[in-house]
């Protein structure tokens, strides 16, 4: 999975919790290309990390390619998966996603 870092703050300027969360998310996505929920499957995704100064201002999410969002089915509701408390969750359903 391609990793994209968007910096609000430098990694040195972040606290230990942020660095640990980013490291855990990177470890979870090694060798993975997408995610699966109960009703949908997204492949060819990117891991997007927006670094902030603390966990409140840092976001870690897996998003599908832009062209895939145009072709989505009407029953698909999650546009990305976000990282929280050691797992990835669907942005609308708030259920745990399976990394594939």
């Amino acid at each position: 999975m391609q990793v994209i870092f968007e910096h609000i703050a430098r990694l040195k300027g972040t606290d230990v919790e942020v660095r640990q969360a980013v490291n855990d998310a990177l470890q979870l996505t090694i060798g993975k290309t997408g995610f699966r929920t109960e009703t949908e499957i997204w492949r060819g995704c990117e891991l997007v990390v927006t670094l902030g100064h603390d966990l409140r201002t840092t976001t870690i999410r897996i998003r599908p390619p832009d062209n895939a969002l145009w072709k989505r089915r009407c029953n698909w509701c999650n546009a990305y998966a976000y990282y929280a408390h050691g797992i990835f969750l669907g942005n609308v359903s708030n259920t745990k996603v399976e990394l594939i």
Side-chain angles (χ1 to χ4, degrees), residues 4-93:
I4 300 171
F5 282 97
E6 297 173 348
H7 299 282
I8 294 174
R10 295 187 184 271
L11 192 56
K12 280 186 168 183
T14 59
D15 62 5
V16 176
E17 290 177 328
V18 171
R19 289 192 296 265
Q20 184 65 38
V22 170
N23 187 34
D24 290 345
L26 289 172
Q27 292 298 318
L28 286 173
T29 58
I30 290 176
K32 307 296 183 186
T33 60
F35 66 93
R36 175 183 298 143
T37 65
E38 294 174 356
T39 59
E40 57 198 326
I41 298 173
W42 293 107
R43 298 186 194 278
C45 297
E46 306 167 326
L47 179 68
V48 180
V49 179
T50 305
L51 292 173
H53 297 288
D54 56 9
L55 281 178
R56 287 184 300 117
T57 58
T58 299
T59 60
I60 304 169
R61 57 194 170 120
I62 299 173
R63 72 172 182 209
D66 292 332
N67 62 351
L69 290 174
W70 290 101
K71 298 176 186 176
R72 64 191 290 171
R73 294 182 187 166
C74 62
N75 65 338
W76 289 1
C77 59
N78 295 298
Y80 62 89
Y82 66 94
Y83 180 82
H85 308 292
I87 59 173
F88 282 96
L89 303 166
N91 72 312
V92 173
S93 64

